[in-house]
Amino acid sequence: MAVVMDPSPPPDDSAPRHWLDRIGIPRPLAWGFLGVLVFMIGDGVESGYLSPYLLDEGLSKERVALLFTVYGVTASVAAWFSGALSDLWGPRRVMMLGLGIWVVFQVVFLVFAVPTLDYGLLLAGYGLRGFGYPLFAYGFLVWVTAVTPRRRLGSAVGWFWFAFTGGLPTLGSLVASLAVPRAGAYATLWLSLGLVVAGGAIALLLVREPTGRGRLAPAGERPLATLAGSLAIIWRDPRIGTGAVVRAINTAPQFGFLVFLPVFFTDTLGFRLDEWLRLLSAMFAANIFFNLLFGVVGDRIGWRRTVTWFGGVGCAVTTLLLHYGTVAAGDHFGLALVLVCLFGATLAGYVPLSALMPSLAPAHKGQAMSALNLGAGVSTFLGPALVGLFLGPLGVEGVMWIFAGLYLASAVLTLFLRLPEPVAAGAAGYSSRPGPAPRARDEQPEAQP
């Protein structure tokens, strides 16, 4: 059965729409987007300096690496569970749980673990805090997919990723660059706690939309069945499993790049470290802007088509351009800036996948989003693992070709992501109104107003 969000008749087509609706932000959730942005700024404050800070405090590289590995594992598990728990409890409660976990374990980390450098407490505080941000942020993403009309869902998820990546790592790192020299590294970690609390309060206190306050799964579905379904849906509906694989490919090279590109750009190409950091910032800045653009493009030309051509094919081309263009030009900063921005832009071509996946399983949107988030979690390990396996025998050029091949494979896989027939009128969204007759079902989930 489809989850009916707004059974009331659609409003008169002549009724004016709020400016937030016109730019793709569902007005009932507008404060939530701001809350996610502030929350993720707080979460991202530490991203650029926590590792060297702990090394300076006396931890070994191996222990710091293990600490971040544990954090990555818990974040991946939470990302997977976020959709299923949102189906079961409602997105708002999942966001509350994520905020509570983040705050409690950050306090443990700052009050007990960092001052004593007790490694067990560091693992407990920081590692278990990894459950926090995916439950909060991805819980809100499920809320967005549950109430946004399908014809504008691409734009709405584009705004979500704008808020998410705008905070982590972009503005979070900027806040750290301003705060650490003035207040110190330890005090800046307390600032991150304050920002997370502020973002959580904005989203949870100011968003009054009722759908996210209750469960999204059918009433008779039991808790264990809902949680098991978040994994079973991957093989029960091969399209969902395919979408999870595409999502894993989406950011696997991005995480792999962070392993070897810093050394490649500084030692091989001859850039200074500060120049490489500026190039990395430019890559994510371009990605943030194009997250919005490709959300809108997906609503106009089709979600699947956008992911196929701008995401899969686009990333394959820009990955190879990034390698061969920089090798040919050496330490030419201007050309490198253009090339990293092109990759960041095409990486955003996968944004409509967050609209496409829940639409593939309209009765179990949370489970579909769990599968999508599981793919995101796998990418954090897949990219570095491929680098570890192939960088030695094949070199940078070989790894770049492997990543380009993966992107082309993801473009082929998207051909199988065909949507079901439309759900009943009124089944999706806030203030929804019917659009014109749909085109081919594999291309038009989002009829234009």
Side-chain angles (χ1 to χ4, degrees):
M1 61 180 280
V3 181
V4 178
M5 303 302 176
D6 182 9
S8 60
D12 185 356
D13 284 357
S14 63
R17 284 193 287 140
H18 193 272
W19 67 270
L20 288 170
D21 294 323
R22 288 197 296 271
I23 66 172
I25 297 178
R27 184 162 41 135
L29 299 180
W31 285 110
F33 289 90
L34 178 60
V36 168
L37 173 63
V38 176
F39 183 102
M40 295 311 298
I41 290 173
D43 188 75
V45 162
E46 69 195 28
S47 60
Y49 82 92
L50 182 61
S51 176
Y53 169 65
L54 293 176
L55 290 172
D56 290 342
E57 290 296 304
L59 286 186
S60 67
K61 291 181 180 180
E62 293 75 17
R63 287 196 161 196
V64 171
L66 178 59
L67 186 67
F68 280 87
T69 299
V70 171
Y71 181 87
V73 170
T74 56
S76 299
V77 172
W80 169 34
F81 270 37
S82 61
L85 292 177
S86 294
D87 260 358
L88 186 63
W89 298 338
R92 187 174 185 273
R93 290 183 181 178
V94 174
M95 293 174 69
M96 291 175 64
L97 176 63
L99 175 62
I101 288 174
W102 205 103
V103 170
V104 168
F105 287 105
Q106 179 75 346
V107 169
V108 170
F109 183 67
L110 294 179
V111 174
F112 302 105
V114 173
T116 63
L117 289 182
D118 184 300
Y119 194 64
L121 287 175
L122 287 170
L123 284 173
Y126 189 69
L128 295 178
R129 203 202 76 191
F131 285 109
Y133 90 81
L135 293 176
F136 182 88
Y138 296 146
F140 182 70
L141 179 58
V142 174
W143 201 343
V144 170
T145 63
V147 304
T148 305
R150 294 212 297 182
R151 65 179 174 272
R152 293 197 293 272
L153 187 52
S155 301
V157 298
W159 279 107
F160 168 82
W161 289 112
F162 175 88
F164 186 99
T165 57
L168 173 69
T170 312
L171 292 179
S173 297
L174 178 61
V175 169
S177 70
L178 298 174
V180 171
R182 293 166 175 79
Y186 181 71
T188 301
L189 293 174
W190 282 102
L191 173 62
S192 70
L193 175 62
L195 289 168
V196 164
V197 171
I202 291 170
L204 295 173
L205 297 180
L206 299 183
V207 175
R208 305 297 178 86
E209 198 283 325
T211 301
R213 295 172 177 265
R215 63 181 286 152
L216 304 179
E221 194 163 293
R222 293 172 297 178
L224 289 179
T226 299
L227 293 174
S230 67
L231 187 60
I233 195 173
I234 291 175
W235 60 80
R236 187 174 73 238
D237 187 340
R239 295 170 306 170
I240 298 297
T242 301
V245 172
V246 173
R247 178 62 184 88
I249 294 173
N250 172 198
T251 49
Q254 172 191 324
F255 288 107
F257 284 166
L258 295 177
V259 175
F260 71 92
L261 280 191
V263 176
F264 176 68
F265 268 75
T266 55
D267 291 356
T268 303
L269 299 179
F271 287 96
R272 301 191 310 271
L273 179 59
D274 65 303
E275 289 178 323
W276 157 247
L277 291 174
R278 278 186 281 165
L279 290 171
L280 187 62
S281 297
M283 180 190 295
F284 284 109
N287 179 255
I288 291 169
F289 172 76
F290 279 90
N291 281 340
L292 291 180
L293 179 62
F294 282 125
V296 175
V297 168
D299 284 344
R300 297 295 177 183
I301 71 170
W303 299 332
R304 187 172 64 88
R305 184 179 294 151
T306 302
V307 174
T308 300
W309 292 105
F310 292 102
V313 176
C315 280
V317 172
T318 57
T319 295
L320 296 178
L321 281 176
L322 181 60
H323 175 68
Y324 289 110
T326 54
V327 167
D331 60 349
H332 190 292
F333 185 83
L335 178 60
L337 181 65
V338 171
L339 294 176
V340 298
C341 288
L342 284 174
F343 176 77
T346 54
L347 194 65
Y350 286 89
V351 158
L353 196 62
S354 296
L356 183 58
M357 283 285 278
S359 299
L360 292 172
H364 292 286
K365 293 184 177 183
Q367 291 182 6
M369 293 304 294
S370 284
L372 183 73
N373 295 336
L374 178 61
V378 168
S379 72
T380 64
F381 302 102
L382 177 61
L386 290 173
V387 173
L389 287 173
F390 296 108
L391 185 61
L394 300 181
V396 171
E397 182 179 15
V399 171
M400 289 294 206
W401 273 102
I402 289 173
F403 286 160
L406 284 174
Y407 279 130
L408 288 177
S410 76
V412 174
L413 289 174
T414 59
L415 299 177
F416 299 96
L417 302 182
R418 296 179 179 271
L419 286 158
E421 289 302 310
V423 293
Y430 68 96
S431 301
S432 178
R433 55 180 177 172
R439 293 176 279 175
R441 291 309 307 154
D442 61 325
E443 285 298 334
Q444 179 57 23
E446 60 288 337
Q448 296 304 310

